[in-house]
Amino acid sequence: MRKDGRREDELRPVKIVRDFLSHPEGSCLIEFGDTKVICTASVTESVPPFLKGKGQGWITAEYSMLPRATHTRNIRESVQGKISGRTHEIQRMIGRAMRTAVDLTKLGERTLWVDCDVIQADGGTRTASITGAFVAVADALIKLYEDGIIQSVPIKDFVAAVSVGIVNGKPLLDLNFEEDSMAQVDMNVVGTGEGRFSEVQSMGEEYTFSRDELDNLLDLALKGISELVELQRALYEANRSIGYWKRKEVKEARF
């Protein structure tokens, strides 16, 4: 058993609250244990210059952490006047994950701006952001459809993300901050509802890992992703016969 009482293959308690904010086209609050992130999806009627005239849309993301999301206060990056390499990396990862799940050719020449703001951090902020961002994006796309702006909801599949790692020689699912800080191997995995990988980030900290250990970690990640997708499914009902994802009247899902 881990210090927080979880099994090695067990996620932290996860909670997703849809429509968390009133103004964005899509929004949610997502909690992975003590990690809490507000995710929003906003629609603008334009695309980046490289897509103008091509008839397709785009999804991009921004990520930030409140100054007291951690144990000590951090200086806002806007005050520092530059975005850190870590923030750039996470923003791009979130954007790539969302573009994996959406058929951009059916979005028209408009952009979905995904904003993920960490209000409390205890490890896994990027994976929580990706999992919550999908919920916000799905709501925004459904609103565009219901308003008659697009002809269908262009979601190809669910997408979620989770961390795994080797800590004290043991493979663990969904690392909290303490586990992440002492991990010998740290991996972030993005996957789909169909069980396919979108992205894998992995590194050893003064440690190498074998092919068998890698396979074990990927299997552990897919288990966690499938559980997160089921939580997303509790908020959205797949209705393939009419070609879009029909929203249920459900505001919250948790396990």
Side-chain angles (χ1 to χ4, degrees):
M1 299 291 287
R2 296 150 78 169
K3 284 189 177 181
D4 57 9
R6 286 186 290 151
R7 300 185 310 273
E8 295 173 1
D9 66 346
E10 186 177 359
L11 292 168
R12 289 174 286 180
V14 180
K15 176 182 175 183
I16 304 175
V17 181
R18 285 183 50 254
D19 291 337
F20 189 69
L21 299 177
S22 300
H23 301 302
E25 284 80 0
S27 69
C28 78
L29 168 70
I30 185 164
E31 301 179 7
F32 276 36
D34 287 334
T35 289
K36 302 180 182 182
V37 186
I38 297 173
C39 303
T40 64
S42 306
V43 181
T44 59
E45 295 295 320
S46 61
V47 291
F50 70 90
L51 283 177
K52 285 185 178 180
K54 295 186 178 180
Q56 76 166 68
W58 188 245
I59 303 176
T60 190
E62 293 187 5
Y63 166 97
S64 66
M65 189 177 293
L66 293 187
R68 248 351 264 276
T70 56
H71 292 291
T72 57
R73 186 183 187 277
N74 294 314
I75 300 174
R76 295 179 191 270
E77 291 183 337
S78 60
V79 173
Q80 293 177 322
K82 63 178 181 179
I83 297 176
S84 70
R86 176 181 181 273
T87 296
H88 270 301
E89 174 197 352
I90 294 174
Q91 291 181 165
R92 290 169 179 166
M93 189 177 185
I94 297 168
R96 287 192 297 267
M98 295 307 103
R99 295 192 293 271
T100 294
V102 177
D103 185 347
L104 298 175
T105 65
K106 297 179 180 178
L107 185 57
E109 291 201 8
R110 51 185 58 88
T111 298
L112 285 182
W113 287 86
V114 177
D115 290 287
C116 298
D117 293 286
V118 180
I119 60 176
Q120 185 167 285
D122 184 34
T125 60
R126 74 185 67 193
T127 54
S129 295
I130 289 169
T131 305
F134 174 81
V135 174
V137 166
D139 262 0
L141 293 172
I142 289 169
K143 186 176 190 307
L144 287 175
Y145 172 79
E146 291 175 344
D147 290 346
I149 296 173
I150 56 178
Q151 300 303 307
S152 64
V153 178
I155 296 176
K156 298 185 291 186
D157 198 356
F158 291 90
V159 66
V162 74
S163 66
V164 289
I166 297 176
V167 182
N168 295 325
K170 296 180 179 179
L172 300 181
L173 175 65
D174 189 19
L175 308 185
N176 60 27
F177 177 77
E178 182 180 1
E179 293 168 336
D180 183 67
S181 64
M182 54 193 281
Q184 296 156 299
V185 176
D186 181 21
M187 181 183 297
N188 297 297
V189 181
V190 184
T192 69
E194 294 182 350
R196 297 178 64 84
F197 295 110
S198 169
E199 185 163 344
V200 177
Q201 296 181 336
S202 180
M203 66 198 75
E205 181 60 46
E206 299 182 10
Y207 183 87
T208 60
F209 50 100
S210 68
R211 175 63 179 270
D212 286 343
E213 288 176 314
L214 174 61
D215 289 341
N216 288 337
L217 288 173
L218 291 175
D219 288 341
L220 199 58
L222 286 179
K223 175 185 181 294
I225 288 168
S226 69
E227 293 173 356
L228 293 169
V229 167
E230 286 308 306
L231 198 62
Q232 292 171 335
R233 288 187 194 276
L235 300 174
Y236 299 94
E237 177 182 300
N239 190 337
R240 294 183 181 276
S241 63
I242 53 177
Y244 72 96
W245 303 88
K246 183 180 180 182
R247 184 171 59 195
K248 291 182 176 180
E249 292 304 317
V250 177
K251 298 294 185 184
E252 181 177 317
R254 68 171 77 196
F255 60 73

